[in-house]
Amino acid sequence: MATAFYPGTFDPVTLGHVDLIRRAAKLFDEVIVGVAGNRDKSPLFTLEERVSLLEQVVGGMENVRVIGFNNLLIDCVREQNADTILRGLRAVSDFEYEFQLAAMNRHLDPGIETTFLTPAESYAFLSSTLIKEVASLGGDVSEFVPPKVMKALKRVYGK
Ligand code: ADP
């Protein structure tokens, strides 16, 4: 039984994240989406809101579940008995940070590998930050986020 732990801020979840979760759900017996508290990043949505949005979005996928966490990633991965950390690689710009993160996590626990997946091309340039920037200025991002997230963004930005 192989379990993947997919950590992130998910502020908010985009169709790029969902694309990655769908791909992982086919490869692994179980996928745990770990939403990081990340208070130092001052997220737009609270941890509870981010978890709730993800739960609504992955509700139909039977081998996927969502948890929130505030402790060290590798400790949470061990607590959940996951076998691998899943991360997404978009453009080349992701590579350096992801490489550092994977190396640090390997240092902290050499028994846990990091697995990378790439999204469909149409989502390769999509990020939560860009979504928030465009939505805050009234731009239409409905092609890139689930309808529930669209509603949440409208509530926040009033547009
Ligand atoms: P973090 O703060 O950990 O980077 P994010 O929610 O931004 O949190 O991203 C979580 C993971 O999902 C990262 O590995 C990131 O590269 C990946 N990711 C984000 N957006 C996309 C996307 N459009 N396609 C594929 N992977 C993505």
PDB file of all heavy atoms in Angstrom, residues 6-11 14 16-17 20 38 41 86-90 94 97-98 117-119 123-128, ligand 1:
ATOM      1  N   TYR A   6       0.811  15.089  -0.175  1.00  0.00           N
ATOM      2  CA  TYR A   6       0.965  16.263  -1.050  1.00  0.00           C
ATOM      3  C   TYR A   6       0.801  17.537  -0.214  1.00  0.00           C
ATOM      4  O   TYR A   6      -0.318  17.945   0.082  1.00  0.00           O
ATOM      5  CB  TYR A   6      -0.096  16.192  -2.149  1.00  0.00           C
ATOM      6  CG  TYR A   6      -0.098  17.341  -3.143  1.00  0.00           C
ATOM      7  CD1 TYR A   6       1.059  18.015  -3.503  1.00  0.00           C
ATOM      8  CD2 TYR A   6      -1.279  17.737  -3.758  1.00  0.00           C
ATOM      9  CE1 TYR A   6       1.047  19.050  -4.406  1.00  0.00           C
ATOM     10  CE2 TYR A   6      -1.310  18.778  -4.683  1.00  0.00           C
ATOM     11  CZ  TYR A   6      -0.138  19.429  -5.007  1.00  0.00           C
ATOM     12  OH  TYR A   6      -0.150  20.462  -5.915  1.00  0.00           O
ATOM     13  N   PRO A   7       1.925  18.151   0.177  1.00  0.00           N
ATOM     14  CA  PRO A   7       1.837  19.347   1.015  1.00  0.00           C
ATOM     15  C   PRO A   7       1.802  20.631   0.195  1.00  0.00           C
ATOM     16  O   PRO A   7       2.334  20.684  -0.919  1.00  0.00           O
ATOM     17  CB  PRO A   7       3.151  19.289   1.808  1.00  0.00           C
ATOM     18  CG  PRO A   7       4.120  18.689   0.839  1.00  0.00           C
ATOM     19  CD  PRO A   7       3.330  17.775  -0.082  1.00  0.00           C
ATOM     20  N   GLY A   8       1.187  21.659   0.749  1.00  0.00           N
ATOM     21  CA  GLY A   8       1.188  22.959   0.082  1.00  0.00           C
ATOM     22  C   GLY A   8       0.424  23.970   0.896  1.00  0.00           C
ATOM     23  O   GLY A   8      -0.156  23.641   1.936  1.00  0.00           O
ATOM     24  N   THR A   9       0.426  25.207   0.406  1.00  0.00           N
ATOM     25  CA  THR A   9      -0.325  26.263   1.094  1.00  0.00           C
ATOM     26  C   THR A   9      -1.767  26.277   0.588  1.00  0.00           C
ATOM     27  O   THR A   9      -2.685  26.555   1.348  1.00  0.00           O
ATOM     28  CB  THR A   9       0.347  27.639   0.843  1.00  0.00           C
ATOM     29  OG1 THR A   9       1.760  27.515   1.053  1.00  0.00           O
ATOM     30  CG2 THR A   9      -0.182  28.684   1.796  1.00  0.00           C
ATOM     31  N   PHE A  10      -1.944  26.003  -0.696  1.00  0.00           N
ATOM     32  CA  PHE A  10      -3.279  25.925  -1.305  1.00  0.00           C
ATOM     33  C   PHE A  10      -4.113  27.167  -0.944  1.00  0.00           C
ATOM     34  O   PHE A  10      -5.199  27.065  -0.398  1.00  0.00           O
ATOM     35  CB  PHE A  10      -4.013  24.644  -0.879  1.00  0.00           C
ATOM     36  CG  PHE A  10      -3.254  23.383  -1.207  1.00  0.00           C
ATOM     37  CD1 PHE A  10      -2.564  22.686  -0.221  1.00  0.00           C
ATOM     38  CD2 PHE A  10      -3.206  22.902  -2.506  1.00  0.00           C
ATOM     39  CE1 PHE A  10      -1.839  21.535  -0.526  1.00  0.00           C
ATOM     40  CE2 PHE A  10      -2.479  21.756  -2.830  1.00  0.00           C
ATOM     41  CZ  PHE A  10      -1.803  21.073  -1.823  1.00  0.00           C
ATOM     42  N   ASP A  11      -3.561  28.352  -1.274  1.00  0.00           N
ATOM     43  CA  ASP A  11      -4.191  29.627  -0.878  1.00  0.00           C
ATOM     44  C   ASP A  11      -4.577  30.439  -2.100  1.00  0.00           C
ATOM     45  O   ASP A  11      -3.945  31.466  -2.376  1.00  0.00           O
ATOM     46  CB  ASP A  11      -3.205  30.402   0.016  1.00  0.00           C
ATOM     47  CG  ASP A  11      -3.826  31.673   0.563  1.00  0.00           C
ATOM     48  OD1 ASP A  11      -4.995  31.606   0.972  1.00  0.00           O
ATOM     49  OD2 ASP A  11      -3.159  32.723   0.583  1.00  0.00           O
ATOM     50  N   THR A  14      -6.101  25.596  -6.811  1.00  0.00           N
ATOM     51  CA  THR A  14      -6.368  25.912  -8.222  1.00  0.00           C
ATOM     52  C   THR A  14      -6.579  24.607  -8.996  1.00  0.00           C
ATOM     53  O   THR A  14      -6.317  23.522  -8.473  1.00  0.00           O
ATOM     54  CB  THR A  14      -5.184  26.649  -8.882  1.00  0.00           C
ATOM     55  OG1 THR A  14      -4.091  25.715  -9.004  1.00  0.00           O
ATOM     56  CG2 THR A  14      -4.723  27.851  -8.072  1.00  0.00           C
ATOM     57  N   GLY A  16      -4.713  23.591 -11.201  1.00  0.00           N
ATOM     58  CA  GLY A  16      -3.383  22.988 -11.330  1.00  0.00           C
ATOM     59  C   GLY A  16      -3.153  21.981 -10.213  1.00  0.00           C
ATOM     60  O   GLY A  16      -2.695  20.853 -10.441  1.00  0.00           O
ATOM     61  N   HIS A  17      -3.488  22.387  -8.974  1.00  0.00           N
ATOM     62  CA  HIS A  17      -3.388  21.463  -7.834  1.00  0.00           C
ATOM     63  C   HIS A  17      -4.288  20.243  -8.062  1.00  0.00           C
ATOM     64  O   HIS A  17      -3.893  19.116  -7.825  1.00  0.00           O
ATOM     65  CB  HIS A  17      -3.853  22.143  -6.531  1.00  0.00           C
ATOM     66  CG  HIS A  17      -2.999  23.287  -6.056  1.00  0.00           C
ATOM     67  ND1 HIS A  17      -3.513  24.541  -5.821  1.00  0.00           N
ATOM     68  CD2 HIS A  17      -1.681  23.358  -5.738  1.00  0.00           C
ATOM     69  CE1 HIS A  17      -2.554  25.341  -5.376  1.00  0.00           C
ATOM     70  NE2 HIS A  17      -1.430  24.660  -5.316  1.00  0.00           N
ATOM     71  N   LEU A  20      -2.958  17.742 -10.437  1.00  0.00           N
ATOM     72  CA  LEU A  20      -1.890  16.930  -9.826  1.00  0.00           C
ATOM     73  C   LEU A  20      -2.473  15.853  -8.899  1.00  0.00           C
ATOM     74  O   LEU A  20      -2.021  14.703  -8.902  1.00  0.00           O
ATOM     75  CB  LEU A  20      -0.963  17.845  -9.024  1.00  0.00           C
ATOM     76  CG  LEU A  20       0.513  17.547  -9.215  1.00  0.00           C
ATOM     77  CD1 LEU A  20       0.950  17.936 -10.613  1.00  0.00           C
ATOM     78  CD2 LEU A  20       1.356  18.269  -8.189  1.00  0.00           C
ATOM     79  N   ASN A  38       1.212  27.715   7.556  1.00  0.00           N
ATOM     80  CA  ASN A  38       2.036  28.767   6.932  1.00  0.00           C
ATOM     81  C   ASN A  38       1.673  30.178   7.376  1.00  0.00           C
ATOM     82  O   ASN A  38       1.510  31.064   6.533  1.00  0.00           O
ATOM     83  CB  ASN A  38       1.918  28.691   5.392  1.00  0.00           C
ATOM     84  CG  ASN A  38       3.019  27.843   4.787  1.00  0.00           C
ATOM     85  OD1 ASN A  38       3.990  27.499   5.470  1.00  0.00           O
ATOM     86  ND2 ASN A  38       2.868  27.488   3.531  1.00  0.00           N
ATOM     87  N   LYS A  41       3.487  33.151   5.890  1.00  0.00           N
ATOM     88  CA  LYS A  41       3.193  33.582   4.523  1.00  0.00           C
ATOM     89  C   LYS A  41       1.946  34.464   4.472  1.00  0.00           C
ATOM     90  O   LYS A  41       1.541  34.887   3.381  1.00  0.00           O
ATOM     91  CB  LYS A  41       2.972  32.358   3.620  1.00  0.00           C
ATOM     92  CG  LYS A  41       4.258  31.726   3.100  1.00  0.00           C
ATOM     93  CD  LYS A  41       3.950  30.841   1.892  1.00  0.00           C
ATOM     94  CE  LYS A  41       5.202  30.210   1.317  1.00  0.00           C
ATOM     95  NZ  LYS A  41       4.890  29.301   0.204  1.00  0.00           N
ATOM     96  N   LEU A  86       4.769  14.285  -2.305  1.00  0.00           N
ATOM     97  CA  LEU A  86       4.464  14.634  -3.690  1.00  0.00           C
ATOM     98  C   LEU A  86       4.543  16.142  -3.852  1.00  0.00           C
ATOM     99  O   LEU A  86       3.995  16.898  -3.045  1.00  0.00           O
ATOM    100  CB  LEU A  86       3.048  14.162  -4.033  1.00  0.00           C
ATOM    101  CG  LEU A  86       2.530  14.581  -5.399  1.00  0.00           C
ATOM    102  CD1 LEU A  86       3.255  13.826  -6.499  1.00  0.00           C
ATOM    103  CD2 LEU A  86       1.031  14.360  -5.494  1.00  0.00           C
ATOM    104  N   ARG A  87       5.245  16.587  -4.911  1.00  0.00           N
ATOM    105  CA  ARG A  87       5.275  18.013  -5.225  1.00  0.00           C
ATOM    106  C   ARG A  87       5.045  18.188  -6.714  1.00  0.00           C
ATOM    107  O   ARG A  87       5.280  17.264  -7.497  1.00  0.00           O
ATOM    108  CB  ARG A  87       6.634  18.628  -4.829  1.00  0.00           C
ATOM    109  CG  ARG A  87       6.890  18.636  -3.330  1.00  0.00           C
ATOM    110  CD  ARG A  87       6.100  19.676  -2.585  1.00  0.00           C
ATOM    111  NE  ARG A  87       6.577  21.031  -2.852  1.00  0.00           N
ATOM    112  CZ  ARG A  87       6.013  22.115  -2.320  1.00  0.00           C
ATOM    113  NH1 ARG A  87       4.956  22.012  -1.518  1.00  0.00           N
ATOM    114  NH2 ARG A  87       6.489  23.312  -2.603  1.00  0.00           N
ATOM    115  N   GLY A  88       4.605  19.372  -7.089  1.00  0.00           N
ATOM    116  CA  GLY A  88       4.356  19.652  -8.500  1.00  0.00           C
ATOM    117  C   GLY A  88       5.499  20.454  -9.089  1.00  0.00           C
ATOM    118  O   GLY A  88       6.065  21.321  -8.422  1.00  0.00           O
ATOM    119  N   LEU A  89       5.832  20.169 -10.337  1.00  0.00           N
ATOM    120  CA  LEU A  89       6.834  20.976 -11.045  1.00  0.00           C
ATOM    121  C   LEU A  89       6.160  21.632 -12.222  1.00  0.00           C
ATOM    122  O   LEU A  89       5.606  20.969 -13.092  1.00  0.00           O
ATOM    123  CB  LEU A  89       7.983  20.103 -11.543  1.00  0.00           C
ATOM    124  CG  LEU A  89       9.101  19.757 -10.570  1.00  0.00           C
ATOM    125  CD1 LEU A  89      10.167  18.956 -11.301  1.00  0.00           C
ATOM    126  CD2 LEU A  89       9.720  20.993  -9.938  1.00  0.00           C
ATOM    127  N   ARG A  90       6.218  22.959 -12.210  1.00  0.00           N
ATOM    128  CA  ARG A  90       5.651  23.697 -13.341  1.00  0.00           C
ATOM    129  C   ARG A  90       6.795  24.081 -14.256  1.00  0.00           C
ATOM    130  O   ARG A  90       7.493  23.227 -14.773  1.00  0.00           O
ATOM    131  CB  ARG A  90       4.905  24.933 -12.822  1.00  0.00           C
ATOM    132  CG  ARG A  90       3.622  24.566 -12.105  1.00  0.00           C
ATOM    133  CD  ARG A  90       3.086  25.712 -11.300  1.00  0.00           C
ATOM    134  NE  ARG A  90       3.954  25.965 -10.141  1.00  0.00           N
ATOM    135  CZ  ARG A  90       3.679  26.802  -9.167  1.00  0.00           C
ATOM    136  NH1 ARG A  90       2.586  27.497  -9.209  1.00  0.00           N
ATOM    137  NH2 ARG A  90       4.503  26.952  -8.148  1.00  0.00           N
ATOM    138  N   ASP A  94      10.382  26.609 -10.822  1.00  0.00           N
ATOM    139  CA  ASP A  94      10.093  25.835  -9.603  1.00  0.00           C
ATOM    140  C   ASP A  94      11.285  24.989  -9.172  1.00  0.00           C
ATOM    141  O   ASP A  94      11.397  24.613  -8.013  1.00  0.00           O
ATOM    142  CB  ASP A  94       8.943  24.830  -9.857  1.00  0.00           C
ATOM    143  CG  ASP A  94       7.574  25.455  -9.644  1.00  0.00           C
ATOM    144  OD1 ASP A  94       7.506  26.507  -8.999  1.00  0.00           O
ATOM    145  OD2 ASP A  94       6.591  24.872 -10.130  1.00  0.00           O
ATOM    146  N   TYR A  97      13.956  25.776  -5.977  1.00  0.00           N
ATOM    147  CA  TYR A  97      13.364  25.688  -4.637  1.00  0.00           C
ATOM    148  C   TYR A  97      12.960  24.245  -4.318  1.00  0.00           C
ATOM    149  O   TYR A  97      13.215  23.745  -3.222  1.00  0.00           O
ATOM    150  CB  TYR A  97      12.155  26.627  -4.534  1.00  0.00           C
ATOM    151  CG  TYR A  97      11.442  26.507  -3.215  1.00  0.00           C
ATOM    152  CD1 TYR A  97      12.058  26.904  -2.029  1.00  0.00           C
ATOM    153  CD2 TYR A  97      10.146  25.979  -3.138  1.00  0.00           C
ATOM    154  CE1 TYR A  97      11.410  26.782  -0.811  1.00  0.00           C
ATOM    155  CE2 TYR A  97       9.495  25.850  -1.922  1.00  0.00           C
ATOM    156  CZ  TYR A  97      10.125  26.250  -0.768  1.00  0.00           C
ATOM    157  OH  TYR A  97       9.495  26.117   0.439  1.00  0.00           O
ATOM    158  N   GLU A  98      12.350  23.580  -5.274  1.00  0.00           N
ATOM    159  CA  GLU A  98      11.898  22.204  -5.041  1.00  0.00           C
ATOM    160  C   GLU A  98      13.088  21.272  -4.800  1.00  0.00           C
ATOM    161  O   GLU A  98      13.015  20.345  -3.997  1.00  0.00           O
ATOM    162  CB  GLU A  98      11.058  21.704  -6.224  1.00  0.00           C
ATOM    163  CG  GLU A  98       9.718  22.418  -6.385  1.00  0.00           C
ATOM    164  CD  GLU A  98       8.766  22.232  -5.200  1.00  0.00           C
ATOM    165  OE1 GLU A  98       8.893  21.233  -4.470  1.00  0.00           O
ATOM    166  OE2 GLU A  98       7.902  23.106  -5.000  1.00  0.00           O
ATOM    167  N   LEU A 117       5.418  15.434 -10.013  1.00  0.00           N
ATOM    168  CA  LEU A 117       4.545  15.247 -11.171  1.00  0.00           C
ATOM    169  C   LEU A 117       4.398  16.605 -11.865  1.00  0.00           C
ATOM    170  O   LEU A 117       4.528  17.655 -11.221  1.00  0.00           O
ATOM    171  CB  LEU A 117       3.163  14.746 -10.742  1.00  0.00           C
ATOM    172  CG  LEU A 117       3.061  13.295 -10.258  1.00  0.00           C
ATOM    173  CD1 LEU A 117       1.631  13.008  -9.806  1.00  0.00           C
ATOM    174  CD2 LEU A 117       3.467  12.328 -11.366  1.00  0.00           C
ATOM    175  N   THR A 118       4.113  16.582 -13.158  1.00  0.00           N
ATOM    176  CA  THR A 118       3.859  17.840 -13.870  1.00  0.00           C
ATOM    177  C   THR A 118       2.381  17.887 -14.265  1.00  0.00           C
ATOM    178  O   THR A 118       1.784  16.853 -14.556  1.00  0.00           O
ATOM    179  CB  THR A 118       4.731  17.962 -15.136  1.00  0.00           C
ATOM    180  OG1 THR A 118       4.494  16.815 -15.957  1.00  0.00           O
ATOM    181  CG2 THR A 118       6.202  18.017 -14.793  1.00  0.00           C
ATOM    182  N   PRO A 119       1.811  19.089 -14.274  1.00  0.00           N
ATOM    183  CA  PRO A 119       0.391  19.216 -14.607  1.00  0.00           C
ATOM    184  C   PRO A 119       0.186  19.256 -16.121  1.00  0.00           C
ATOM    185  O   PRO A 119       1.150  19.340 -16.880  1.00  0.00           O
ATOM    186  CB  PRO A 119       0.041  20.571 -14.004  1.00  0.00           C
ATOM    187  CG  PRO A 119       1.286  21.370 -14.165  1.00  0.00           C
ATOM    188  CD  PRO A 119       2.429  20.395 -13.985  1.00  0.00           C
ATOM    189  N   TYR A 123      -2.082  24.237 -17.347  1.00  0.00           N
ATOM    190  CA  TYR A 123      -1.956  24.711 -15.957  1.00  0.00           C
ATOM    191  C   TYR A 123      -0.505  24.965 -15.563  1.00  0.00           C
ATOM    192  O   TYR A 123      -0.212  25.275 -14.412  1.00  0.00           O
ATOM    193  CB  TYR A 123      -2.564  23.696 -14.994  1.00  0.00           C
ATOM    194  CG  TYR A 123      -4.027  23.422 -15.255  1.00  0.00           C
ATOM    195  CD1 TYR A 123      -4.509  22.125 -15.310  1.00  0.00           C
ATOM    196  CD2 TYR A 123      -4.919  24.476 -15.451  1.00  0.00           C
ATOM    197  CE1 TYR A 123      -5.854  21.870 -15.555  1.00  0.00           C
ATOM    198  CE2 TYR A 123      -6.253  24.231 -15.700  1.00  0.00           C
ATOM    199  CZ  TYR A 123      -6.711  22.936 -15.751  1.00  0.00           C
ATOM    200  OH  TYR A 123      -8.032  22.684 -15.990  1.00  0.00           O
ATOM    201  N   ALA A 124       0.398  24.834 -16.523  1.00  0.00           N
ATOM    202  CA  ALA A 124       1.825  24.888 -16.190  1.00  0.00           C
ATOM    203  C   ALA A 124       2.287  26.264 -15.720  1.00  0.00           C
ATOM    204  O   ALA A 124       3.348  26.397 -15.124  1.00  0.00           O
ATOM    205  CB  ALA A 124       2.657  24.426 -17.378  1.00  0.00           C
ATOM    206  N   PHE A 125       1.505  27.299 -16.012  1.00  0.00           N
ATOM    207  CA  PHE A 125       1.925  28.636 -15.597  1.00  0.00           C
ATOM    208  C   PHE A 125       0.990  29.213 -14.536  1.00  0.00           C
ATOM    209  O   PHE A 125       0.995  30.406 -14.270  1.00  0.00           O
ATOM    210  CB  PHE A 125       2.014  29.563 -16.819  1.00  0.00           C
ATOM    211  CG  PHE A 125       3.070  29.118 -17.769  1.00  0.00           C
ATOM    212  CD1 PHE A 125       2.761  28.350 -18.874  1.00  0.00           C
ATOM    213  CD2 PHE A 125       4.412  29.413 -17.513  1.00  0.00           C
ATOM    214  CE1 PHE A 125       3.755  27.900 -19.726  1.00  0.00           C
ATOM    215  CE2 PHE A 125       5.411  28.968 -18.359  1.00  0.00           C
ATOM    216  CZ  PHE A 125       5.086  28.204 -19.473  1.00  0.00           C
ATOM    217  N   LEU A 126       0.219  28.332 -13.942  1.00  0.00           N
ATOM    218  CA  LEU A 126      -0.803  28.766 -12.997  1.00  0.00           C
ATOM    219  C   LEU A 126      -0.294  28.702 -11.551  1.00  0.00           C
ATOM    220  O   LEU A 126       0.306  27.713 -11.149  1.00  0.00           O
ATOM    221  CB  LEU A 126      -1.996  27.810 -13.155  1.00  0.00           C
ATOM    222  CG  LEU A 126      -3.285  28.123 -12.431  1.00  0.00           C
ATOM    223  CD1 LEU A 126      -3.766  29.512 -12.792  1.00  0.00           C
ATOM    224  CD2 LEU A 126      -4.334  27.091 -12.831  1.00  0.00           C
ATOM    225  N   SER A 127      -0.533  29.769 -10.789  1.00  0.00           N
ATOM    226  CA  SER A 127      -0.169  29.742  -9.368  1.00  0.00           C
ATOM    227  C   SER A 127      -1.266  30.436  -8.563  1.00  0.00           C
ATOM    228  O   SER A 127      -1.994  31.287  -9.084  1.00  0.00           O
ATOM    229  CB  SER A 127       1.156  30.461  -9.137  1.00  0.00           C
ATOM    230  OG  SER A 127       0.984  31.859  -9.315  1.00  0.00           O
ATOM    231  N   SER A 128      -1.357  30.081  -7.288  1.00  0.00           N
ATOM    232  CA  SER A 128      -2.345  30.714  -6.411  1.00  0.00           C
ATOM    233  C   SER A 128      -2.095  32.218  -6.335  1.00  0.00           C
ATOM    234  O   SER A 128      -3.031  33.018  -6.290  1.00  0.00           O
ATOM    235  CB  SER A 128      -2.271  30.113  -5.011  1.00  0.00           C
ATOM    236  OG  SER A 128      -2.539  28.731  -5.046  1.00  0.00           O
TER     237      SER A 128
HETATM  238  P1  ADP B   1       3.785  26.004  -1.394  1.00  0.00           P
HETATM  239  O1  ADP B   1       3.682  27.221  -0.528  1.00  0.00           O
HETATM  240  O2  ADP B   1       4.176  24.772  -0.651  1.00  0.00           O
HETATM  241  O3  ADP B   1       4.604  26.211  -2.647  1.00  0.00           O
HETATM  242  P2  ADP B   1       1.484  25.852  -3.175  1.00  0.00           P
HETATM  243  O4  ADP B   1       0.049  25.651  -2.811  1.00  0.00           O
HETATM  244  O5  ADP B   1       1.847  27.084  -3.934  1.00  0.00           O
HETATM  245  O6  ADP B   1       2.268  25.723  -1.817  1.00  0.00           O
HETATM  246  O7  ADP B   1       1.991  24.612  -4.037  1.00  0.00           O
HETATM  247  C1  ADP B   1       1.948  23.309  -3.539  1.00  0.00           C
HETATM  248  C2  ADP B   1       2.577  22.373  -4.544  1.00  0.00           C
HETATM  249  O8  ADP B   1       1.764  22.336  -5.708  1.00  0.00           O
HETATM  250  C3  ADP B   1       3.973  22.802  -5.029  1.00  0.00           C
HETATM  251  O9  ADP B   1       4.752  21.638  -5.254  1.00  0.00           O
HETATM  252  C4  ADP B   1       3.708  23.501  -6.315  1.00  0.00           C
HETATM  253  O10 ADP B   1       4.818  23.399  -7.202  1.00  0.00           O
HETATM  254  C5  ADP B   1       2.534  22.691  -6.829  1.00  0.00           C
HETATM  255  N1  ADP B   1       1.707  23.477  -7.739  1.00  0.00           N
HETATM  256  C6  ADP B   1       1.163  24.696  -7.548  1.00  0.00           C
HETATM  257  N2  ADP B   1       0.490  25.120  -8.632  1.00  0.00           N
HETATM  258  C7  ADP B   1       0.603  24.109  -9.538  1.00  0.00           C
HETATM  259  C8  ADP B   1       0.169  23.949 -10.879  1.00  0.00           C
HETATM  260  N3  ADP B   1      -0.501  24.896 -11.538  1.00  0.00           N
HETATM  261  N4  ADP B   1       0.477  22.793 -11.475  1.00  0.00           N
HETATM  262  C9  ADP B   1       1.199  21.851 -10.845  1.00  0.00           C
HETATM  263  N5  ADP B   1       1.658  21.950  -9.611  1.00  0.00           N
HETATM  264  C10 ADP B   1       1.375  23.069  -8.957  1.00  0.00           C
END
